[in-house]
């Protein structure tokens, strides 16, 4: 697939056909994704292909309350779980999520972890949440989605499991000093969204300073 086309048309896929994804195909996706950049080229990622239905169901049960809170917070107009002014909603109800409801039927479920000993957290001493370490793991996750798309697969990256990492860690045998960075769902899409809506460049880029002249 043309690189520019892939970048501009790879949307999140949450509905999959009832068609198995072979382990060898997942391995080939990861074989391409591993060329992602990372700090010092330390490649801190670990991946677990979760196939056991019982483990999947337990992971979904852990993620469901997180999803419920996310939906309830979204209805208030707030960005759920934001690190600046987030306030948990007073009420929340069960919110349906097709991925969680049918997690046993998702063709491929990947849990992605990052070895924190191999990541330079340049902003760890700042008086805010640390975001820089993500630069060493999320390019890999995006490469997974691009490599999957090139093979006719679709997928979506989620981070709900990260909020319940302590509970999920024993199920996945998460190694010491590792963080759950993402859960990626893959499969043959019912529909691959390609008409993506994004802000134009002049709305987010400017010259010399963040409040400078818009870049157009």
């Amino acid at each position: 697939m043309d690189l520019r086309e892939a970048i501009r048309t790879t949307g999140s896929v949450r509905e999959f056909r009832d068609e198995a994804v072979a382990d060898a195909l997942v391995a080939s996706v990861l074989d391409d994704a591993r060329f992602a950049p990372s700090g010092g080229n330390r490649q801190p990622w670990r991946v677990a292909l979760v196939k056991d239905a019982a483990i999947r169901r337990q992971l979904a049960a852990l993620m469901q309350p997180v999803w419920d809170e996310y939906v309830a917070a979204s209805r208030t107009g707030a960005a759920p779980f934001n690190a600046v002014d987030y306030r948990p909603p007073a009420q929340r109800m069960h919110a349906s999520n097709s991925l969680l409801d049918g997690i046993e039927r998702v063709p491929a479920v990947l849990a992605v972890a990052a070895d924190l000993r191999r990541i330079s957290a340049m902003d760890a001493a700042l008086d805010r949440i640390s975001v820089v370490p993500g630069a060493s793991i999320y390019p890999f996750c995006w490469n997974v989605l691009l490599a999957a798309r090139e093979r006719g697969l679709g997928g979506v990256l989620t981070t709900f499991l990260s909020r319940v990492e302590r509970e999920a860690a024993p199920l996945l045998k998460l190694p010491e000093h590792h963080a759950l960075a993402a859960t990626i769902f893959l499969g043959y899409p019912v529909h691959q969204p390609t008409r993506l809506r994004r802000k134009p460049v002049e709305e987010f880029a400017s010259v010399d300073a963040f409040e400078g002249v818009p870049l157009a």
Side-chain angles (χ1 to χ4, degrees):
M1 174 174 284
D2 175 75
L3 176 60
R4 186 167 184 265
E5 179 186 359
I7 291 173
R8 296 174 72 98
T9 64
T10 300
S12 295
V13 172
R14 296 177 175 84
E15 293 184 73
F16 306 106
R17 302 201 307 264
D18 186 18
E19 185 175 347
V21 174
D23 290 0
L25 184 56
V26 174
S28 74
V29 166
L30 298 177
D31 191 40
D32 282 347
R34 67 192 174 96
F35 287 95
S38 58
N41 194 31
R42 286 184 286 271
Q43 306 166 54
W45 41 78
R46 290 288 302 273
V47 178
L49 173 61
V50 184
K51 301 176 67 173
D52 186 278
I55 295 177
R56 287 189 179 196
R57 176 45 47 199
Q58 292 177 80
L59 295 178
L62 290 174
M63 287 187 276
Q64 184 64 53
V66 182
W67 172 246
D68 294 343
E69 184 174 345
Y70 182 92
V71 171
S74 296
R75 288 171 178 161
T76 70
F81 308 118
N82 83 79
V84 177
D85 57 4
Y86 177 65
R87 294 183 180 180
Q91 295 182 331
R92 68 195 74 169
M93 299 176 61
H94 177 84
S96 180
N97 183 305
S98 60
L99 285 174
L100 302 183
D101 295 343
I103 196 170
E104 296 91 344
R105 297 186 299 277
V106 175
V109 177
L110 306 180
V112 181
D115 186 345
L116 299 179
R117 296 166 298 185
R118 303 180 65 80
I119 294 177
S120 299
M122 297 295 187
D123 58 349
L126 299 181
D127 189 22
R128 61 159 173 76
I129 190 171
S130 180
V131 298
V132 171
S136 284
I137 186 65
Y138 291 113
F140 169 77
C141 295
W142 180 233
N143 265 12
V144 169
L145 294 174
L146 288 178
R149 176 81 193 286
E150 198 272 337
R151 290 162 172 79
L153 301 172
V156 62
L157 182 156
T158 71
T159 54
F160 297 111
L161 195 61
S162 299
R163 191 158 180 87
V164 286
E165 179 183 288
R166 292 175 183 171
E167 295 82 356
L171 294 172
L172 297 170
K173 295 182 172 57
L174 184 69
E176 186 178 13
H177 304 304
H178 282 61
L180 280 176
T183 308
I184 300 177
F185 299 88
L186 296 176
Y188 292 98
V190 172
H191 169 69
Q192 173 66 60
T194 59
R195 297 176 62 87
L196 310 182
R197 292 180 295 175
R198 299 292 187 267
K199 296 178 181 178
V201 172
E202 59 268 23
E203 285 194 22
F204 64 83
S206 54
V207 178
D208 289 332
F210 294 113
E211 295 182 357
V213 177
L215 178 65

